[in-house]
Amino acid sequence: MPENHLRRALAQGEFVCSAELVLGRDHSASEAETFVRDASGHPGGIRVISLTDLPGGNPALPPEAFAAYVLEHHLTPIAHVTGKDGNRSLIEGRLHSLARLGAESVLALTGDAQKDGFRGASKPVHDLDSVLILMLIQALRGGLEYQIGTRGARTTPFDFFPGAVVNPFKVREADLTMQLFKMRLKIAAGAQFIVTQLGFNLRKLYELKQYMDREGLGHVPVLANVYVPTPAIARMMQSGELAGCVASDGFVRRMEGEKKPQRLERAALMVAAVKDLGFAGAHIGGFGLTHRDFMTILERAAGTGAGWRDKMDELAFPYPGEFYLLPAGSDGLSDAAGPYQTGRRPARWWLGERLSRAFHRRLIAPDTFAARFLEARLKPGGGRTRKAWARLLGGSSLYRKATLGCQSCGDCIQDHLAYAGCSMRWCYKELRNGPCGGARVDGSCEARPELPCLWDLVYEASLALGQDPRRFAHLLIPPRDWSLDRTNALVNRFAGTDNLPKRTEVGEGTHDHHR
């Protein structure tokens, strides 16, 4: 197989640049093919090609349909794999397909909310989020065990090189902090490199690197996303139409007054900056860019060197009132030695969450008298006695529906969510391991802007209840068990058939979820 240029460069500490190709709906993909041919024929050209997976929630060519073409030209594909359009069986099948092609590098993402589709909007799937996709990839690296009747079997191991995405450009404390926690969870689940969401504030971008260095994650390579927008795309970001993207009014005005050469020059400044600041590479993208445009960016970046520091006004476009994790430094960036600025707002009073939490601690949590009493009566195989006690607990579903929006999944994680609401109901993507990166700048949901992001509420409820939100960086929640659908979650908890025994601590974090 061709050399994995990404893996080799990151292992050897070489600054690497990748190009993101947005694959469209047409199976011909002629523009992408031209880009790959130009890159392959240039001795110093781009060697790593990132292939999107139905971006923007629209139908498109999947990355596995184009990865072979990239490999044939002795380049390295990064295949995006999202969980928005297929369940865990399909995702595993897609990974087997990539393994058969020899495509090692995979970027695991939750994926954008569905928009366009044949005769109407597509049905969202979201069976596995980005963290759970990484867990699946990790299992496939060693060979996934499964059953064929009574016989055990194992899939052929394949040495995937998985990566993940983080959005460091969030403007609210809850959004940003939960992004950082989820990134740590992704690394614990197997991510070996990180690619950032696109953004236009170097201070926010570099804060991510500062945070990782402080938290002992400096060994994980980070590719900074360097995007070249058109004025039209900048306005779409500003309006919230492009999920998770932040574009301030000042940045949009600057875009509207510039031509393409000026936009390429800014991208070159950003590449020079992230290289000088110790990032592992740059992940470059932009609508309609040719390989020649990419080479212009890299050539101009090489000539700029450390000169980017004199042009911070071209690299940092802050959003009014946005939250920074660290205090400002004298160089226009954040002060890495300063204290974290989280948790400075007074906690809100959450009556419903406090009542539910008190009920949980006294009647549901392991080792309480009520839990031991009910566990003995609801264990599998209990016959008539079990059925009678299960019927008695049936009313608990009414309470959860009325107060939390319970969807009767039978595999409840409300104790993990600080009883802030059901993620099967209030999170469009039904996430169980932290938020996606798509929330809007005001904290509202990417797909349903009339609703706040549930995970913001979870973060604030955790603080209000005195729970350490860092648990979201250390506790892996398994995927929903669909065999429990439409059953009573409380019965399943006491019977030991829900997700609680399958949760996994993956680092030094709070164990408060067991109390």
Side-chain angles (χ1 to χ4, degrees), residues 174-229:
D175 290 324
L176 177 62
T177 306
M178 291 295 278
Q179 277 292 302
L180 297 177
F181 290 160
K182 188 165 185 177
M183 176 195 69
R184 299 183 68 163
L185 202 58
K186 291 174 182 179
I187 293 171
Q192 297 185 37
F193 64 94
I194 297 293
V195 178
T196 71
Q197 171 63 288
L198 60 91
F200 308 99
N201 188 339
L202 182 61
R203 180 182 169 189
K204 296 283 284 186
L205 178 63
Y206 188 49
E207 265 200 349
L208 171 67
K209 189 77 170 57
Q210 293 170 314
Y211 172 82
M212 293 180 70
D213 289 340
R214 281 179 58 155
E215 296 295 321
L217 299 172
H219 62 284
V220 180
V222 179
L223 277 67
N225 201 318
V226 177
Y227 191 79
V228 186

Side-chain angles (χ1 to χ4, degrees), residues 15 28 35-36 50 60 68 84 102 107 126 192 195 203 244 266 317 350 378 392 424 430 438 450 460 476 494 501 513:
F15 189 79
S28 67
F35 190 101
V36 168
S50 187
K84 63 190 176 64
L107 194 64
H126 299 292
Q192 297 185 37
V195 178
R203 180 182 169 189
R266 177 176 292 105
F317 292 89
W350 297 71
L378 289 167
L392 186 63
M424 299 295 104
E430 300 185 351
E450 71 278 7
E460 293 174 0
L476 278 167
F494 291 131
H513 61 282

Side-chain angles (χ1 to χ4, degrees), residues 293-306:
D293 292 330
F294 275 71
M295 296 312 298
T296 297
I297 292 171
L298 299 186
E299 290 162 6
R300 293 292 300 137
T304 299

Side-chain angles (χ1 to χ4, degrees), residues 370-403:
R372 292 195 300 269
F373 179 86
L374 290 168
E375 285 167 3
R377 285 152 182 81
L378 289 167
K379 60 185 178 181
R384 290 184 178 180
T385 301
R386 183 182 191 279
K387 292 181 179 179
W389 281 100
R391 284 196 298 270
L392 186 63
L393 291 177
S396 64
S397 296
L398 299 177
Y399 172 82
R400 292 197 305 275
K401 288 179 184 294
T403 60

